[in-house]
Coordinates of all heavy atoms in Angstrom, one line a residue:
L1 N 59.8 6.4 -44.9 CA 59.3 5.1 -44.4 C 58.3 4.6 -45.4 O 57.5 5.4 -46.0 CB 58.6 5.4 -43.0 CG 57.8 4.2 -42.6 CD1 58.5 3.0 -42.2 CD2 57.0 4.6 -41.3
Y2 N 58.5 3.3 -45.8 CA 57.5 2.7 -46.7 C 57.1 1.4 -45.9 O 58.0 0.7 -45.4 CB 58.2 2.4 -48.0 CG 58.5 3.6 -48.8 CD1 59.8 4.1 -48.7 CD2 57.6 4.3 -49.5 CE1 60.1 5.3 -49.5 CE2 57.9 5.4 -50.3 CZ 59.2 5.9 -50.2 OH 59.4 7.1 -50.9
L3 N 55.9 1.1 -46.1 CA 55.3 -0.1 -45.4 C 54.4 -0.8 -46.5 O 53.5 -0.2 -46.9 CB 54.6 0.2 -44.2 CG 54.1 -0.9 -43.3 CD1 55.2 -1.8 -42.8 CD2 53.2 -0.3 -42.2
F4 N 54.6 -2.1 -46.8 CA 53.7 -2.7 -47.7 C 53.7 -4.2 -47.4 O 54.4 -4.7 -46.5 CB 54.2 -2.6 -49.2 CG 55.5 -3.0 -49.5 CD1 55.8 -4.2 -50.2 CD2 56.7 -2.2 -49.4 CE1 57.0 -4.7 -50.6 CE2 57.9 -2.6 -49.7 CZ 58.0 -3.9 -50.3
L5 N 52.7 -4.8 -47.9 CA 52.3 -6.2 -47.6 C 52.3 -7.1 -48.8 O 51.8 -6.7 -49.8 CB 50.9 -6.2 -46.9 CG 50.3 -7.5 -46.7 CD1 50.5 -8.0 -45.3 CD2 48.8 -7.4 -47.0
R6 N 52.7 -8.3 -48.7 CA 52.5 -9.3 -49.7 C 51.6 -10.4 -49.2 O 52.0 -11.0 -48.2 CB 53.8 -9.9 -50.2 CG 53.6 -10.8 -51.4 CD 55.0 -11.1 -52.0 NE 54.8 -11.9 -53.3 CZ 54.9 -11.3 -54.5 NH1 55.1 -10.1 -54.7 NH2 54.7 -12.1 -55.5
N7 N 50.4 -10.5 -49.7 CA 49.4 -11.5 -49.1 C 49.7 -12.9 -49.7 O 50.6 -13.1 -50.5 CB 48.0 -11.0 -49.3 CG 47.6 -11.0 -50.7 OD1 48.0 -11.7 -51.6 ND2 46.6 -10.1 -51.0
S8 N 48.8 -13.8 -49.2 CA 49.0 -15.2 -49.4 C 48.7 -15.5 -51.0 O 49.0 -16.6 -51.4 CB 48.1 -16.1 -48.5 OG 46.8 -15.7 -48.7
R9 N 48.0 -14.5 -51.7 CA 47.8 -14.7 -53.1 C 48.9 -14.2 -53.9 O 48.8 -14.2 -55.2 CB 46.4 -14.1 -53.4 CG 45.3 -14.7 -52.8 CD 43.9 -14.1 -53.1 NE 43.8 -12.7 -52.7 CZ 43.5 -12.3 -51.5 NH1 43.2 -13.1 -50.6 NH2 43.4 -11.0 -51.2
G10 N 49.9 -13.6 -53.3 CA 51.0 -13.1 -54.0 C 50.8 -11.7 -54.4 O 51.7 -11.0 -55.2
E11 N 49.8 -11.0 -54.0 CA 49.4 -9.6 -54.3 C 50.2 -8.7 -53.4 O 50.3 -9.0 -52.2 CB 48.0 -9.3 -54.2 CG 47.1 -10.2 -55.2 CD 45.7 -10.2 -54.8 OE1 45.3 -9.9 -53.6 OE2 44.9 -10.6 -55.7
T12 N 50.6 -7.6 -53.8 CA 51.3 -6.6 -53.0 C 50.5 -5.3 -52.9 O 50.0 -4.8 -53.8 CB 52.7 -6.3 -53.6 OG1 53.5 -7.4 -53.7 CG2 53.4 -5.3 -52.7
Q13 N 50.4 -4.9 -51.6 CA 49.6 -3.7 -51.4 C 50.4 -2.7 -50.5 O 51.1 -3.2 -49.5 CB 48.2 -4.0 -50.6 CG 47.3 -4.8 -51.5 CD 46.0 -5.0 -50.7 OE1 46.1 -5.6 -49.6 NE2 44.9 -4.7 -51.3
F14 N 50.4 -1.5 -50.9 CA 51.1 -0.4 -50.0 C 50.2 -0.1 -48.8 O 49.0 0.0 -48.9 CB 51.2 0.8 -50.9 CG 52.6 1.3 -51.0 CD1 53.6 0.5 -51.4 CD2 53.0 2.6 -50.7 CE1 54.9 0.9 -51.5 CE2 54.2 3.1 -50.8 CZ 55.2 2.2 -51.3
L15 N 50.9 -0.1 -47.7 CA 50.2 0.2 -46.4 C 50.5 1.7 -45.9 O 49.7 2.3 -45.3 CB 50.5 -0.7 -45.3 CG 50.1 -2.2 -45.6 CD1 50.7 -3.0 -44.5 CD2 48.7 -2.4 -45.8
F16 N 51.7 2.1 -46.3 CA 52.1 3.5 -46.0 C 53.2 4.0 -46.9 O 54.1 3.2 -47.2 CB 52.7 3.6 -44.5 CG 53.0 4.9 -44.1 CD1 52.0 5.7 -43.6 CD2 54.3 5.4 -44.1 CE1 52.4 7.0 -43.1 CE2 54.6 6.6 -43.7 CZ 53.6 7.5 -43.3
P17 N 53.1 5.2 -47.5 CA 52.1 6.2 -47.3 C 50.7 5.7 -47.9 O 50.7 4.8 -48.8 CB 52.6 7.4 -48.0 CG 53.6 6.8 -49.0 CD 54.1 5.6 -48.4
Y18 N 49.6 6.2 -47.4 CA 48.3 5.8 -47.8 C 47.9 6.2 -49.2 O 47.1 5.5 -49.8 CB 47.3 6.4 -46.8 CG 47.6 6.0 -45.4 CD1 47.8 7.1 -44.4 CD2 47.8 4.8 -44.9 CE1 48.1 6.7 -43.1 CE2 48.2 4.4 -43.6 CZ 48.3 5.4 -42.7 OH 48.6 5.2 -41.5
E19 N 48.4 7.3 -49.6 CA 48.0 7.8 -51.0 C 49.2 8.0 -51.8 O 50.3 8.4 -51.3 CB 47.2 9.1 -50.8 CG 45.9 8.9 -50.1 CD 45.3 10.3 -49.9 OE1 45.6 11.3 -50.6 OE2 44.3 10.4 -49.0
R20 N 49.0 7.8 -53.1 CA 50.1 8.0 -54.1 C 50.6 9.5 -54.0 O 49.8 10.4 -54.0 CB 49.6 7.7 -55.5 CG 50.7 7.8 -56.5 CD 50.1 7.5 -57.8 NE 51.1 6.7 -58.6 CZ 50.9 6.2 -59.7 NH1 49.7 6.2 -60.3 NH2 51.8 5.5 -60.4
G21 N 51.9 9.6 -53.9 CA 52.4 11.0 -53.8 C 52.5 11.6 -52.5 O 53.1 12.7 -52.3
A22 N 51.9 11.0 -51.5 CA 51.9 11.5 -50.1 C 53.3 11.4 -49.5 O 54.0 10.5 -49.9 CB 50.8 10.8 -49.3
S23 N 53.5 12.2 -48.6 CA 54.8 12.2 -47.9 C 54.9 11.0 -47.1 O 54.0 10.5 -46.4 CB 55.0 13.4 -47.0 OG 56.2 13.4 -46.3
S24 N 56.1 10.4 -47.1 CA 56.4 9.1 -46.3 C 57.5 9.5 -45.3 O 58.1 8.6 -44.7 CB 56.9 8.0 -47.2 OG 57.9 8.3 -47.9
K25 N 57.8 10.7 -45.2 CA 58.9 11.2 -44.3 C 58.6 11.1 -42.9 O 57.4 11.4 -42.4 CB 59.2 12.7 -44.6 CG 60.4 13.3 -43.9 CD 60.7 14.7 -44.4 CE 62.0 15.2 -43.7 NZ 62.3 16.5 -44.2
V26 N 59.5 10.6 -42.1 CA 59.4 10.5 -40.6 C 60.6 11.3 -40.1 O 61.6 11.5 -40.7 CB 59.5 9.0 -40.1 CG1 58.2 8.3 -40.6 CG2 60.7 8.3 -40.6
T27 N 60.4 11.9 -38.9 CA 61.4 12.7 -38.2 C 62.1 11.9 -37.2 O 61.6 11.1 -36.4 CB 60.7 13.9 -37.5 OG1 59.9 14.5 -38.5 CG2 61.7 14.8 -36.9
R28 N 63.4 12.0 -37.2 CA 64.3 11.3 -36.3 C 64.0 11.7 -34.8 O 63.7 12.9 -34.5 CB 65.7 11.8 -36.6 CG 66.8 11.2 -35.8 CD 68.2 11.5 -36.1 NE 68.4 12.7 -37.0 CZ 69.5 13.1 -37.4 NH1 70.6 12.5 -36.9 NH2 69.6 14.1 -38.2
Y29 N 64.0 10.8 -33.9 CA 63.8 10.8 -32.5 C 62.3 11.2 -32.1 O 62.1 11.7 -31.1 CB 64.8 11.8 -32.0 CG 66.2 11.5 -32.2 CD1 67.0 12.4 -32.9 CD2 66.7 10.3 -31.8 CE1 68.3 12.1 -33.1 CE2 68.1 10.0 -32.0 CZ 68.9 10.8 -32.7 OH 70.2 10.6 -33.0
K30 N 61.5 11.1 -33.1 CA 60.0 11.4 -32.8 C 59.1 10.2 -33.1 O 59.4 9.5 -34.1 CB 59.5 12.6 -33.6 CG 60.2 13.9 -33.3 CD 59.4 15.1 -33.6 CE 60.1 16.3 -33.2 NZ 59.4 17.5 -33.4
S31 N 58.3 9.9 -32.1 CA 57.4 8.7 -32.3 C 56.3 9.0 -33.5 O 55.9 10.1 -33.7 CB 56.7 8.5 -31.1 OG 57.5 8.1 -30.0
R32 N 56.0 7.9 -34.1 CA 54.9 8.0 -35.1 C 54.2 6.7 -35.2 O 54.8 5.7 -35.2 CB 55.6 8.3 -36.5 CG 54.6 8.3 -37.7 CD 54.7 9.5 -38.5 NE 53.7 9.6 -39.4 CZ 53.8 10.2 -40.6 NH1 54.9 10.8 -40.9 NH2 52.8 10.3 -41.4
S33 N 52.9 6.8 -35.2 CA 52.0 5.7 -35.3 C 51.6 5.5 -36.7 O 51.2 6.4 -37.4 CB 50.8 5.8 -34.4 OG 51.1 5.9 -33.0
V34 N 51.8 4.2 -37.1 CA 51.3 3.9 -38.5 C 50.4 2.7 -38.4 O 50.9 1.7 -37.9 CB 52.6 3.6 -39.4 CG1 52.1 3.1 -40.8 CG2 53.5 4.8 -39.5
P35 N 49.2 2.8 -38.7 CA 48.5 4.0 -39.2 C 48.3 4.9 -38.0 O 48.4 4.6 -36.9 CB 47.1 3.5 -39.7 CG 46.9 2.2 -39.0 CD 48.2 1.7 -38.7
E36 N 47.9 6.1 -38.4 CA 47.8 7.2 -37.3 C 46.6 7.1 -36.5 O 46.6 7.4 -35.3 CB 47.9 8.6 -38.0 CG 49.2 8.9 -38.6 CD 49.2 10.2 -39.3 OE1 48.1 10.8 -39.5 OE2 50.3 10.6 -39.7
S37 N 45.5 6.6 -37.1 CA 44.2 6.6 -36.3 C 43.3 5.3 -36.5 O 42.1 5.5 -36.4 CB 43.4 7.9 -36.6 OG 43.0 7.8 -38.0
D38 N 43.8 4.4 -37.1 CA 43.0 3.2 -37.4 C 43.9 1.9 -37.2 O 45.1 2.1 -36.8 CB 42.5 3.3 -38.8 CG 41.2 2.4 -39.0 OD1 40.8 1.7 -38.1 OD2 40.6 2.6 -40.1
W39 N 43.4 0.8 -37.5 CA 44.2 -0.4 -37.3 C 44.1 -1.2 -38.7 O 43.2 -1.1 -39.5 CB 43.6 -1.4 -36.3 CG 43.8 -0.8 -34.9 CD1 42.9 0.0 -34.2 CD2 44.9 -1.0 -34.1 NE1 43.4 0.3 -33.0 CE2 44.7 -0.4 -32.9 CE3 46.1 -1.7 -34.2 CZ2 45.6 -0.3 -31.8 CZ3 47.0 -1.7 -33.2 CH2 46.8 -0.9 -32.0
F40 N 45.2 -1.9 -39.0 CA 45.1 -2.7 -40.2 C 44.4 -3.9 -39.9 O 44.4 -4.5 -38.8 CB 46.6 -3.1 -40.6 CG 47.4 -1.9 -41.0 CD1 48.6 -1.7 -40.4 CD2 47.0 -1.1 -42.1 CE1 49.5 -0.6 -40.8 CE2 47.9 -0.1 -42.5 CZ 49.1 0.2 -41.9
Q41 N 43.6 -4.4 -40.8 CA 42.7 -5.6 -40.6 C 43.1 -6.6 -41.7 O 43.1 -6.3 -42.9 CB 41.3 -5.2 -40.7 CG 40.4 -6.3 -40.5 CD 38.9 -5.8 -40.5 OE1 38.6 -4.7 -40.4 NE2 38.0 -6.8 -40.5
F42 N 43.3 -7.9 -41.3 CA 43.6 -8.9 -42.2 C 42.3 -9.6 -42.6 O 41.3 -9.6 -41.8 CB 44.5 -10.0 -41.6 CG 45.9 -9.4 -41.4 CD1 46.3 -8.9 -40.2 CD2 46.8 -9.4 -42.5 CE1 47.6 -8.4 -40.1 CE2 48.1 -8.9 -42.3 CZ 48.5 -8.4 -41.1
D43 N 42.2 -10.2 -43.8 CA 41.0 -11.0 -44.2 C 40.9 -12.2 -43.5 O 41.8 -12.6 -42.8 CB 40.9 -11.0 -45.7 CG 42.1 -11.7 -46.3 OD1 42.8 -12.5 -45.6 OD2 42.4 -11.6 -47.5
K44 N 39.9 -13.0 -43.8 CA 39.7 -14.3 -43.2 C 40.3 -15.4 -43.9 O 40.3 -16.6 -43.5 CB 38.2 -14.6 -43.0 CG 37.5 -13.6 -42.1 CD 36.0 -14.0 -41.9 CE 35.3 -12.9 -41.2 NZ 35.5 -12.8 -39.8
Q45 N 41.0 -15.1 -45.0 CA 41.6 -16.2 -45.8 C 42.9 -16.5 -45.1 O 43.8 -15.7 -44.8 CB 41.9 -15.7 -47.2 CG 42.6 -16.7 -48.0 CD 42.8 -16.3 -49.5 OE1 42.4 -15.2 -49.9 NE2 43.5 -17.1 -50.3
S46 N 43.1 -17.8 -44.8 CA 44.4 -18.3 -44.1 C 45.5 -18.3 -45.1 O 45.3 -18.5 -46.3 CB 44.2 -19.6 -43.5 OG 43.9 -20.6 -44.5
G47 N 46.7 -18.1 -44.6 CA 47.9 -18.1 -45.4 C 48.9 -17.2 -44.8 O 48.8 -16.6 -43.8
V48 N 50.1 -17.1 -45.6 CA 51.2 -16.3 -45.1 C 51.1 -14.8 -45.5 O 50.9 -14.6 -46.7 CB 52.6 -16.8 -45.6 CG1 53.7 -16.0 -45.1 CG2 52.7 -18.3 -45.1
E49 N 51.1 -13.9 -44.6 CA 51.1 -12.5 -44.9 C 52.5 -12.0 -44.5 O 52.9 -12.2 -43.4 CB 50.0 -11.8 -44.1 CG 48.7 -12.4 -44.2 CD 47.9 -12.0 -45.4 OE1 48.2 -11.1 -46.2 OE2 47.0 -12.9 -45.7
T50 N 53.2 -11.3 -45.5 CA 54.5 -10.8 -45.2 C 54.4 -9.2 -45.3 O 54.0 -8.7 -46.3 CB 55.5 -11.3 -46.2 OG1 55.5 -12.8 -46.2 CG2 57.0 -10.9 -45.8
V51 N 55.0 -8.6 -44.2 CA 54.9 -7.1 -44.1 C 56.4 -6.7 -44.3 O 57.3 -7.3 -43.6 CB 54.4 -6.6 -42.8 CG1 54.5 -5.2 -42.7 CG2 52.9 -7.1 -42.6
Y52 N 56.6 -5.8 -45.2 CA 57.9 -5.2 -45.4 C 58.0 -3.8 -45.0 O 57.1 -3.0 -45.3 CB 58.2 -5.2 -47.0 CG 58.3 -6.6 -47.5 CD1 57.1 -7.2 -48.0 CD2 59.5 -7.3 -47.5 CE1 57.2 -8.5 -48.6 CE2 59.6 -8.6 -48.0 CZ 58.4 -9.2 -48.6 OH 58.5 -10.4 -49.0
L53 N 59.1 -3.4 -44.3 CA 59.3 -2.0 -43.8 C 60.6 -1.5 -44.3 O 61.6 -2.2 -44.2 CB 59.3 -2.1 -42.3 CG 59.7 -0.9 -41.5 CD1 58.5 0.2 -41.6 CD2 60.0 -1.2 -40.1
I54 N 60.5 -0.4 -45.1 CA 61.7 0.1 -45.7 C 62.0 1.5 -45.2 O 61.0 2.3 -45.3 CB 61.6 0.1 -47.3 CG1 61.4 -1.4 -47.8 CG2 62.8 0.8 -47.9 CD1 61.1 -1.3 -49.3
F55 N 63.1 1.8 -44.8 CA 63.5 3.2 -44.4 C 64.6 3.6 -45.4 O 65.5 2.8 -45.8 CB 64.2 3.3 -43.0 CG 63.3 3.1 -41.9 CD1 63.2 1.9 -41.2 CD2 62.6 4.2 -41.5 CE1 62.2 1.7 -40.2 CE2 61.6 4.1 -40.4 CZ 61.5 2.9 -39.7
S56 N 64.5 4.8 -45.9 CA 65.4 5.4 -46.9 C 65.7 6.9 -46.7 O 64.6 7.5 -46.3 CB 64.8 5.2 -48.3 OG 65.7 5.8 -49.2
P57 N 66.8 7.3 -46.7 CA 67.0 8.8 -46.5 C 66.5 9.6 -47.7 O 66.3 10.9 -47.5 CB 68.6 8.8 -46.4 CG 69.1 7.7 -47.1 CD 68.1 6.6 -47.0
E58 N 66.2 9.0 -48.8 CA 65.6 9.7 -49.9 C 64.3 9.0 -50.4 O 64.1 7.9 -50.2 CB 66.6 9.7 -51.1 CG 67.9 10.4 -50.7 CD 68.9 10.5 -51.8 OE1 68.4 10.3 -53.1 OE2 70.1 10.8 -51.6
R59 N 63.5 9.8 -51.1 CA 62.3 9.3 -51.6 C 62.6 8.3 -52.6 O 63.4 8.5 -53.5 CB 61.5 10.5 -52.2 CG 60.1 10.1 -52.5 CD 59.3 11.4 -52.8 NE 57.9 11.0 -52.7 CZ 56.9 11.9 -52.5 NH1 57.2 13.2 -52.4 NH2 55.6 11.5 -52.4
L60 N 61.7 7.2 -52.7 CA 61.9 6.1 -53.6 C 60.8 6.2 -54.6 O 59.8 5.5 -54.6 CB 61.9 4.8 -52.9 CG 63.0 4.6 -51.7 CD1 62.8 3.3 -51.0 CD2 64.4 4.7 -52.3
S61 N 61.0 7.1 -55.5 CA 60.0 7.3 -56.6 C 59.6 6.1 -57.4 O 58.5 5.9 -57.7 CB 60.5 8.4 -57.6 OG 60.7 9.6 -56.8
E62 N 60.6 5.2 -57.7 CA 60.3 4.0 -58.5 C 59.4 3.1 -57.7 O 58.5 2.5 -58.2 CB 61.6 3.4 -59.0 CG 61.4 2.2 -59.7 CD 60.7 2.4 -61.1 OE1 60.7 3.6 -61.5 OE2 60.3 1.5 -61.8
L63 N 59.7 3.0 -56.4 CA 58.8 2.1 -55.5 C 57.5 2.6 -55.5 O 56.5 1.9 -55.5 CB 59.5 2.1 -54.2 CG 58.8 1.1 -53.2 CD1 58.7 -0.3 -53.6 CD2 59.4 1.3 -51.8
E64 N 57.4 3.9 -55.3 CA 56.0 4.6 -55.2 C 55.2 4.4 -56.6 O 54.1 4.1 -56.5 CB 56.2 6.1 -55.0 CG 56.7 6.4 -53.6 CD 56.9 7.8 -53.3 OE1 56.4 8.7 -54.1 OE2 57.7 8.2 -52.3
R65 N 55.9 4.5 -57.7 CA 55.3 4.3 -58.9 C 54.7 2.9 -59.1 O 53.6 2.7 -59.6 CB 56.3 4.6 -60.1 CG 55.6 4.6 -61.4 CD 56.6 4.7 -62.6 NE 57.5 3.6 -62.7 CZ 57.2 2.4 -63.2 NH1 56.0 2.1 -63.6 NH2 58.0 1.4 -63.3
L66 N 55.6 1.9 -58.7 CA 55.2 0.5 -58.8 C 54.0 0.2 -57.8 O 53.2 -0.7 -58.1 CB 56.4 -0.4 -58.5 CG 57.5 -0.4 -59.5 CD1 58.7 -1.2 -58.9 CD2 57.0 -0.9 -60.8
A67 N 53.9 0.9 -56.7 CA 52.9 0.6 -55.7 C 51.6 1.0 -56.1 O 50.6 0.5 -55.7 CB 53.3 1.3 -54.4
G68 N 51.5 2.0 -57.0 CA 50.1 2.6 -57.4 C 49.4 3.2 -56.1 O 50.1 3.7 -55.2
T69 N 48.2 3.1 -56.1 CA 47.4 3.8 -55.0 C 47.2 2.8 -53.8 O 47.3 3.3 -52.6 CB 46.0 4.2 -55.4 OG1 45.3 3.1 -56.0 CG2 46.2 5.4 -56.5
G70 N 47.0 1.5 -54.0 CA 46.8 0.5 -52.9 C 45.7 0.8 -52.0 O 44.9 1.8 -52.1
K71 N 45.4 -0.1 -51.0 CA 44.4 0.0 -50.1 C 45.0 -0.1 -48.6 O 46.1 -0.6 -48.5 CB 43.4 -1.2 -50.2 CG 42.6 -1.1 -51.5 CD 41.7 -2.3 -51.5 CE 40.9 -2.3 -52.8 NZ 40.0 -3.5 -52.9
R72 N 44.3 0.4 -47.7 CA 44.8 0.3 -46.3 C 44.5 -1.0 -45.7 O 45.2 -1.4 -44.7 CB 44.2 1.5 -45.5 CG 44.8 2.8 -45.8 CD 44.3 3.9 -44.9 NE 44.6 3.6 -43.6 CZ 44.2 4.3 -42.5 NH1 43.4 5.3 -42.8 NH2 44.5 4.0 -41.3
S73 N 43.6 -1.8 -46.2 CA 43.2 -3.0 -45.6 C 43.1 -4.1 -46.6 O 43.0 -3.8 -47.8 CB 42.0 -3.0 -44.7 OG 40.8 -2.8 -45.5
L74 N 43.1 -5.4 -46.2 CA 42.9 -6.5 -47.1 C 41.4 -6.9 -47.2 O 41.1 -8.0 -47.8 CB 43.8 -7.6 -46.7 CG 45.2 -7.3 -46.7 CD1 46.0 -8.5 -46.2 CD2 45.7 -7.1 -48.2
G75 N 40.5 -6.3 -46.4 CA 39.1 -6.7 -46.4 C 38.3 -6.8 -47.6 O 38.4 -6.9 -48.7

């Protein structure tokens, strides 16, 4: 599972996994909350925020490399 956001300024931020190199694996038929213990928070700047959700049976190393470390929120 990969989750990332493209904000109204055209910047892309990784939302999940939270840290570079961390596991993004999810288990079939089991519930998982993302984020596990906090909420995503949008900034006060108006505009279009687009969230992308990608499921892949294999790790997407190139996507992870391009994502860098990212932040969990836009604040």
Side-chain angles (χ1 to χ4, degrees):
L1 168 66
Y2 295 94
L3 184 64
F4 60 98
L5 169 99
R6 185 166 186 101
N7 66 25
S8 58
R9 294 180 300 276
E11 301 164 339
T12 302
Q13 293 180 307
F14 236 53
L15 301 175
F16 185 82
Y18 307 122
E19 297 177 16
R20 185 180 217 173
S23 175
S24 62
K25 187 175 182 177
V26 293
T27 305
R28 180 177 13 179
Y29 306 118
K30 293 200 178 189
S31 296
R32 173 129 189 207
S33 295
V34 175
E36 293 175 350
S37 64
D38 205 353
W39 291 91
F40 295 122
Q41 181 178 347
F42 292 96
D43 60 20
K44 295 184 190 285
Q45 181 178 356
S46 61
V48 176
E49 310 282 340
T50 306
V51 176
Y52 296 90
L53 176 70
I54 298 174
F55 286 100
S56 174
E58 297 182 19
R59 192 169 198 156
L60 303 176
S61 300
E62 182 67 11
L63 179 63
E64 292 177 18
R65 185 187 69 74
L66 292 171
T69 56
K71 295 180 182 178
R72 288 184 58 187
S73 70
L74 295 176

